Amino acid sequence: MSAIAAIPAASGSRVDPVRVLQHTLYRAAKADPGRRFHALSDKVHRGDVLERAWALVRANRGAPGIDRTTIAQVEEYGVSRLLDELGGELREGGQGHFVVDRPS
């Protein structure tokens, strides 16, 4: 399915940039099965990619991770704040591991 076909035609909405990225990577991998994707880090910290990841976690009612941070705690901390900090950490080459302060 193309990135364009993944968008509802009747909505008249713009093309989803995350879906375009996914489709581009998919086509590159299919065209050359031996290809290695060495430079994906610049894609991971994109705001739209992080927002999509959060939306998927939220929609799936994601379980707490290794840091035991819940969705409610992230929302209390501020989703935009967390994603901005995470994106900055990833841009600087960090692993992007954050622990949201939990109320005592």
Side-chain angles (χ1 to χ4, degrees):
M1 175 184 300
S2 76
I4 306 278
I7 310 281
S11 70
S13 63
R14 61 185 177 83
V15 174
D16 179 356
V18 175
R19 185 70 182 113
V20 170
L21 171 62
Q22 290 171 333
H23 188 69
T24 301
L25 294 172
Y26 168 81
R27 283 184 309 182
K30 288 303 259 184
D32 182 5
R35 180 176 177 164
R36 300 284 182 242
F37 293 89
H38 299 285
L40 291 179
S41 62
D42 65 321
K43 311 294 188 269
V44 174
H45 63 71
R46 282 181 18 186
D48 57 338
V49 173
L50 293 173
E51 288 171 9
R52 172 68 58 85
W54 170 253
L56 292 172
V57 167
R58 183 74 178 100
N60 195 32
R61 297 182 310 255
I66 194 166
D67 62 359
R68 301 181 324 165
T69 301
T70 65
I71 288 174
Q73 290 167 323
V74 170
E75 290 174 338
E76 184 178 321
Y77 183 77
V79 173
S80 294
R81 178 180 171 193
L82 180 72
L83 295 180
D84 288 344
E85 291 173 4
L86 178 60
E89 177 72 20
L90 291 170
R91 272 188 292 283
E92 293 171 10
Q95 296 299 314
H97 176 75
F98 286 91
V99 176
V100 175
D101 294 331
R102 287 188 280 276
S104 301

